[in-house]
Amino acid sequence: MGALTDYFRAVDAASVVETLERADGGSPLGAGPPVFDGVETKHVDPTVVLAMLIAAIRQVQWRVDLVEQVTVWPASPVPGPDGPEDEDDPWVTGPCRRHAAGG
């Protein structure tokens, strides 16, 4: 088993948050017609593998900051070392993080 990751294009972070809240954190690429244009992947981390693919497509040299990661969901603050205060917090119940990649 490995990390499953969704990569997709969205107009802005607000549309991603709205979509994920409606789907209770479920993939916007999952069942039914996808909400965003994208792909579901396994073992494709954004810093190395995705950035190498983007570098090859753009015909530029790979660098560690080629892909910017922004946490957009859950919209609640990232919990501290003691974890979230609420056991129903999406950081506990849902997929831990969704990223919008750009760069």
Side-chain angles (χ1 to χ4, degrees):
M1 182 171 200
L4 300 174
T5 307
D6 295 342
Y7 292 102
F8 52 86
R9 296 185 306 172
V11 174
D12 56 22
S15 64
V16 175
V17 171
E18 178 184 327
T19 299
L20 292 172
E21 286 177 349
R22 270 198 320 258
D24 197 25
S27 172
L29 305 176
V35 178
F36 301 115
D37 178 29
V39 62
E40 296 173 316
T41 67
K42 186 174 183 177
H43 303 298
V44 178
D45 71 284
T47 305
V48 178
V49 179
L50 181 63
M52 288 178 137
L53 178 60
I54 290 171
I57 291 168
R58 292 182 177 171
Q59 297 184 348
V60 298
Q61 185 172 352
W62 172 84
R63 60 184 198 278
V64 74
D65 63 345
L66 188 62
V67 175
E68 177 187 7
Q69 296 182 66
V70 179
T71 301
V72 296
W73 195 89
S76 60
V78 176
D82 295 330
E85 293 180 19
D86 183 4
E87 65 184 37
D88 293 332
D89 190 303
W91 288 97
V92 175
T93 61
C96 288
R97 289 192 277 184
R98 298 287 182 174
H99 297 286

